[in-house]
Amino acid sequence: MKANLPETQLEAWRKYYVSFWRVFAAIEADLAAASLPSLSWYDALYQLYLAPERRLRMSALAQGALLSRSGLTRLVDKLEKEKLIERQACPADGRVQHAQLTAKGVELLRKIWPVYRTGIAKYFAPHVSDAEAKEIAAVFGRIVSAAETAAGGAE
Amino acid sequence: MKANLPETQLEAWRKYYVSFWRVFAAIEADLAAASLPSLSWYDALYQLYLAPERRLRMSALAQGALLSRSGLTRLVDKLEKEKLIERQACPADGRVQHAQLTAKGVELLRKIWPVYRTGIAKYFAPHVSDAEAKEIAAVFGRIVSAAETAAGGAE
DNA sequence: GGATATTAGTTGCATACACAACTAAAATGG
DNA sequence: CCATTTTAGTTGTGTATGCAACTAATATCC
């Protein structure tokens, strides 16, 4: 927690911060232009897609989808209404709900991904060499790990 | 706009994406814990602080503060109510408003910055070597430039 | 120079999200 | 085994933000 922050680090932070918002906004705009839902839907569905049996407890999904628990409840409401997922009560623990990805959910994921991928390929990838990409993955991987252990959840 | 996205790039994107949200949330939480306004206020005030005479047209400020024009109008409403800035009509062009940073605005900036800086120093900097920071600044600097020229505004 | 187009900013409306308070279920422990 | 605490998820409420429509002012062009 060094309070002194060298100018180099600060400049890196600023570029990181600004670039993220720009790229994020550009990708969201492309998705909206293609009449597709926003990245938060994608993130949630994709987390489920990755999960064993394509299902996850609400709180795990909230973690993975970068949302608060209440935010996730609302998102899951909408996804469920669209039949993209199903809520399943847990027989072993009455407090727990699982979100289960449906076939329709997978299908939407497959519709979103090409547009998302193209966005990454347009706004991000062209400016990042292969070597830089490896370094970025390493650096930001460390940041993610640190943030997640700090937040208490190993997950 | 290569549609093919190597796994290396993709992995870099994912870490970049997730790390950003984690760090951003952590810093926002620290600011809130210190009863300070959020980064969007800081961003807007800081843009003005950097500007010549500490004032900027609304639309330029929107660009710099990463907001839509309507979003900026609302933010400026709040900042003005807190006397952190003043709106000034432009004598040369009746459509234009300038936002002018006040002394109180500078003061708030100076209160926020230590907390913000500490957040960067806690969540970001420890995981980034000096060499990596230089590279990150370069890479994301390119991304920002590309995004801004694409968005039409050189600025 | 007056009709039309463009530009700057604002406002109406809708949406997405967080925090805090709540409910229900399970764990703890005496 | 009942009372208390903890945990999982939901709901009430407030806020931040964007898009599209609007207003007012300037620029363009015949």
Side-chain angles (χ1 to χ4, degrees):
Chain A
M1 199 203 292
K2 57 183 163 175
N4 234 13
L5 191 58
E7 179 58 30
T8 318
Q9 304 281 340
L10 188 51
E11 191 55 20
W13 166 260
R14 287 207 196 95
K15 300 296 189 191
Y16 171 57
Y17 182 82
V18 175
S19 70
F20 183 83
W21 287 118
R22 301 280 189 223
V23 174
F24 180 71
I27 291 176
E28 289 279 22
D30 287 357
L31 288 170
S35 304
L36 289 169
S38 75
L39 283 181
S40 60
W41 284 40
Y42 182 86
D43 290 341
L45 295 174
Y46 187 61
Q47 288 299 312
L48 291 175
Y49 183 78
L50 294 179
E53 303 180 64
R54 297 184 174 170
R55 55 206 214 93
L56 236 31
R57 306 164 55 130
M58 299 291 281
S59 43
L61 184 52
Q63 255 279 317
L66 306 162
L67 284 174
S68 69
R69 281 177 310 155
S70 68
L72 185 81
T73 292
R74 263 63 182 256
L75 178 56
V76 164
D77 288 347
K78 289 169 226 155
L79 296 176
E80 194 172 30
K81 199 175 304 179
E82 300 291 330
K83 313 262 189 221
L84 302 167
I85 67 166
E86 276 166 15
R87 269 194 182 83
Q88 294 175 341
C90 177
D93 185 335
R95 292 168 299 185
V96 171
Q97 296 278 331
H98 285 89
Q100 167 80 55
L101 190 61
T102 65
K104 198 173 168 205
V106 175
E107 198 186 312
L108 179 60
L109 224 28
R110 293 203 212 277
K111 276 193 208 126
I112 298 175
W113 175 236
V115 177
Y116 186 11
R117 185 186 52 211
T118 302
I120 303 170
K122 272 197 297 186
Y123 305 119
F124 178 79
H127 312 291
V128 184
S129 75
D130 206 66
E132 287 164 344
K134 287 202 176 87
E135 200 162 291
I136 286 169
V139 169
F140 294 125
R142 293 197 294 272
I143 292 178
V144 170
S145 308
E148 275 167 7
T149 52
E155 203 236 341
Chain B
M1 199 201 291
K2 56 184 164 173
N4 233 12
L5 192 58
E7 180 57 31
T8 318
Q9 304 281 341
L10 188 51
E11 191 57 19
W13 167 259
R14 286 208 197 93
K15 300 296 188 190
Y16 171 60
Y17 183 82
V18 175
S19 69
F20 183 84
W21 287 118
R22 301 278 188 224
V23 173
F24 181 72
I27 291 176
E28 289 279 23
D30 286 357
L31 287 171
S35 304
L36 289 168
S38 75
L39 283 182
S40 60
W41 285 39
Y42 182 85
D43 289 341
L45 296 174
Y46 187 60
Q47 288 299 313
L48 291 175
Y49 183 78
L50 294 180
E53 303 179 64
R54 297 184 175 170
R55 56 207 213 92
L56 235 31
R57 305 163 54 127
M58 300 292 280
S59 44
L61 184 53
Q63 256 279 318
L66 306 163
L67 284 174
S68 68
R69 280 178 311 155
S70 68
L72 185 81
T73 292
R74 264 62 182 259
L75 178 56
V76 164
D77 288 346
K78 290 168 225 155
L79 296 176
E80 194 172 30
K81 199 176 304 178
E82 301 291 330
K83 313 263 190 219
L84 302 166
I85 67 167
E86 276 166 14
R87 266 193 184 86
Q88 294 175 340
C90 176
D93 185 334
R95 291 168 301 184
V96 171
Q97 296 278 331
H98 286 89
Q100 167 79 55
L101 190 61
T102 65
K104 198 171 169 207
V106 175
E107 198 185 312
L108 178 60
L109 224 28
R110 293 203 212 276
K111 276 193 206 127
I112 298 175
W113 175 235
V115 177
Y116 187 11
R117 183 186 53 210
T118 302
I120 302 170
K122 272 197 298 187
Y123 306 118
F124 177 79
H127 311 291
V128 184
S129 76
D130 206 65
E132 287 164 345
K134 287 202 176 90
E135 200 161 292
I136 285 170
V139 170
F140 293 129
R142 293 196 295 270
I143 293 179
V144 170
S145 309
E148 275 168 7
T149 52
E155 205 239 338

